[in-house]
Amino acid sequence: MSARARIVGWMLAVVGLALAVSIFATWTVLLTRLDNRMRLEFENEAEKLRRYAPTAVDPRTGRPVTDVAELLTGYLAINSPDRWETFFSIVEGRAHRISALPPPARLDTDHVLVARMATATRPYRGATETPEGTVQYAVIPVTVAGDPRSAQFVAAVFYDLHRGEIADAMRVLGGSAVAATALAGAAGWFVAGRVLAPVRIISQTAEQITGSSDLTRRLDVPGDDDVAALAATFNHMLDRLERAFVVQRHFMDDAGHELRTPITVIRGHLELMGDDPADRAETLALVTDELDRMNRIVDDLLTLAKAEQPGFLAIDHVELADLTVSVVAKARALGDRQWRVDEVAEARLPADRQRLTQALMQLVANAVRHTRDGDLIAVGSAVRDGSIDLWVRDSGPGVPPADRERIFGRFVRGAGRTGTHDGAGLGLAIVRSIARAHGGGVRVTEAPGGGACFVMTLPLWEFWRLGEPHSDR
């Protein structure tokens, strides 16, 4: 059974149970009220007869009535029964008079019933069956001073006819409840279909995803409810999957493109290697160099792939001054250059110290490749306009404006001082990935006095100023 059918089924079950309980409670209350009304009606008739008897007078003489039959005849003349009620009198064991309005069924013609009622010496209630159903009655003995005859006043109510009215109302209420339940079911089916439509779309979309090309599909679910939130979560999941597939595809493309050349070189030299020891030594040195280059390429590709995944950064509080000075200390071993610390920011940044060090060392190594012995390479850090700048500048030839964006792409190599292309072309791409992982970016500008200045700009999510920078640059 589908979720839509289950929702509507449970809704109809709850609505049906609530309506059934409501109808049963209404039926019970109405029957109880009918019984109470009948009891009050009998009591009221007895009380009216008691009030009438002392005031009854003979219209011919104007004196109080002394004949019990005349008393009951006068009372029946002035007291008309309500709907589905009847009154009659009994004198000396026989039916005497009946109310003017014809009853649904005659009780005074039932001689057995009348004889039983005529034996009453004190008021009592009873019930009997007639062609019109059950009738409830009250028998009230009547005596008049000076008249020794026995007499009774009978008030009868056709109980089943009153009960039938309630049953008719309950049938109408039940029919209305069934119609309302059917209408609620139709409305619930429609609403459940509209609400669950995004869920069906999610299911269909998930079934259609058979490869990375299908990950471009997205769900458009307006609103601010749980289903819309589910669709948004599904879209975020597809975003993450698409990024993962893109990273995987780039990794495969890049690895296939860059590793094919050294593998071909190694295989060719191994196939041509002879028995001459000098030739073997030369081939072994070349193969070792190519394997080292392959190892560097694989490491760089893995770094780029990890940069797109969660957990790439291990965030800690990094002292920028210590980071800047330590990078310069490590960089001195890379070449005979004029090393300098431009400026240090006395601030603490939530970041991954190892990744920032890796990025700065990549920039330093790039600067070494594009400078000669004795040239200037400077490293600095500063807090500017609510962000952190980390830079490496050199006095080399600089970067032409047309290449300042292109060089951060993968496998884009620039010519060094010797005019040769050194490295795999992944260093600056790694720097950009590390900067973006921290929520920032990297750019290259012209350094004062000539040369290139690579600047990483990172946002200050939170920091504690420990002092002012030494100078403005």
Side-chain angles (χ1 to χ4, degrees):
M1 185 179 295
S2 65
R4 185 181 188 182
R6 289 198 299 271
I7 291 173
V8 174
W10 278 106
M11 183 195 72
L12 292 180
V14 173
V15 171
L17 179 62
L19 290 176
V21 171
S22 176
I23 292 174
F24 177 76
T26 303
W27 169 261
T28 304
V29 169
L30 290 179
L31 288 182
T32 302
R33 289 183 177 180
L34 175 60
D35 293 338
N36 292 335
R37 190 168 73 248
M38 293 179 63
R39 177 179 56 80
L40 294 175
E41 180 67 19
F42 291 143
E43 293 176 356
N44 182 53
E45 291 300 328
E47 183 63 25
K48 287 193 296 183
L49 181 58
R50 291 190 190 97
R51 290 198 303 267
Y52 172 78
T55 62
V57 295
D58 188 340
R60 292 170 298 181
T61 63
R63 296 178 179 180
V65 175
T66 59
D67 186 287
V68 70
E70 290 183 6
L71 175 69
L72 292 174
T73 300
Y75 182 72
L76 289 173
I78 67 171
N79 188 27
S80 298
D82 294 332
R83 186 186 184 193
W84 293 329
E85 289 183 355
T86 186
F87 303 147
F88 65 94
S89 60
I90 302 172
V91 178
E92 286 294 307
R94 295 182 180 181
H96 177 247
R97 288 283 188 272
I98 189 170
S99 56
L101 294 178
R106 296 287 295 266
L107 300 181
D108 58 319
T109 59
D110 188 342
H111 301 294
V112 176
L113 178 62
V114 170
R116 186 169 64 247
M117 292 177 176
T119 61
T121 58
R122 55 189 307 174
Y124 79 94
R125 288 180 59 181
T128 185
E129 295 296 327
T130 69
E132 297 297 332
T134 301
V135 176
Q136 293 190 10
Y137 58 85
V139 180
I140 305 170
V142 179
T143 59
V144 174
D147 189 345
R149 291 179 297 176
S150 65
Q152 290 82 24
F153 174 76
V154 179
V157 178
F158 290 84
Y159 178 82
D160 278 357
L161 295 181
H162 283 285
R163 190 173 181 272
E165 283 188 331
I166 297 176
D168 291 340
M170 290 298 99
R171 279 192 288 271
V172 173
L173 181 59
S176 301
V178 172
T181 302
L183 181 61
W189 185 266
F190 174 76
V191 173
R194 293 290 300 272
V195 172
L196 295 177
V199 179
R200 291 196 300 272
I201 295 175
I202 291 174
S203 177
Q204 295 169 1
T205 303
E207 290 178 355
Q208 293 172 1
I209 295 177
T210 57
S212 59
S213 60
D214 295 323
L215 294 176
T216 56
R217 294 173 57 89
R218 294 296 183 271
L219 302 177
D220 183 16
V221 180
D224 192 22
D225 54 8
D226 294 338
V227 178
L230 174 63
T233 303
F234 187 78
N235 287 336
H236 293 328
M237 181 194 70
L238 289 179
D239 291 338
R240 293 191 296 270
L241 288 176
E242 186 177 12
R243 285 196 298 270
F245 273 108
V246 169
V247 171
Q248 183 186 41
R249 187 185 303 113
H250 286 170
F251 180 84
M252 294 174 61
D253 294 343
D254 295 341
H257 176 267
E258 288 301 316
L259 296 180
R260 188 178 294 111
T261 299
I263 290 175
T264 302
V265 171
I266 293 173
R267 182 173 183 176
H269 282 80
L270 290 177
E271 290 177 350
L272 297 175
M273 184 176 62
D275 295 332
D276 181 52
D279 183 49
R280 293 173 64 90
E282 181 181 356
T283 300
L284 182 60
L286 187 145
V287 168
T288 302
D289 183 67
E290 287 297 315
L291 289 175
D292 290 339
R293 189 164 74 90
M294 287 177 61
N295 185 63
R296 290 195 302 272
I297 292 174
V298 171
D299 289 341
D300 291 344
L301 289 175
L302 289 175
T303 299
L304 290 173
K306 292 178 181 178
E308 304 292 337
Q309 304 299 323
F312 175 65
L313 301 179
I315 301 298
D316 196 4
H317 296 301
V318 178
E319 298 287 350
L320 293 178
D322 180 63
L323 174 68
T324 306
V325 174
S326 65
V327 167
V328 174
K330 295 176 182 179
R332 294 182 183 278
L334 297 180
D336 184 13
R337 302 293 188 271
Q338 184 182 348
W339 299 98
R340 179 185 300 175
V341 175
D342 271 345
E343 179 182 338
V344 293
E346 298 292 343
R348 186 182 299 170
L349 174 72
D352 188 328
R353 180 185 178 91
Q354 292 185 355
R355 294 300 182 187
L356 291 182
T357 301
Q358 180 183 7
L360 289 174
M361 291 301 294
Q362 287 280 6
L363 294 178
V364 168
N366 184 69
V368 170
R369 287 195 297 271
H370 292 81
T371 54
R372 298 191 182 95
D373 291 346
D375 285 349
L376 173 67
I377 298 179
V379 181
S381 60
V383 178
R384 296 172 180 164
D385 299 327
S387 61
I388 293 291
D389 282 349
L390 299 170
W391 67 85
V392 174
R393 66 182 181 93
D394 61 63
S395 58
V399 180
D403 295 337
R404 289 178 181 176
E405 180 63 27
R406 185 182 64 87
I407 60 175
F408 291 102
R410 299 184 181 191
F411 301 108
V412 177
R413 300 176 177 85
R417 279 291 190 180
T418 61
T420 61
H421 297 280
D422 190 16
L426 295 174
L428 294 181
I430 292 175
V431 173
R432 183 174 63 177
S433 296
I434 293 175
R436 287 180 175 177
H438 283 85
V442 62
R443 68 186 187 277
V444 58
T445 61
E446 184 176 353
C453 181
F454 289 82
V455 183
M456 281 197 305
T457 301
L458 309 179
L460 269 176
W461 296 313
E462 58 174 321
F463 71 99
W464 295 266
R465 290 296 296 265
L466 303 179
E468 295 298 326
H470 294 320
S471 63
D472 292 331
R473 178 173 176 272

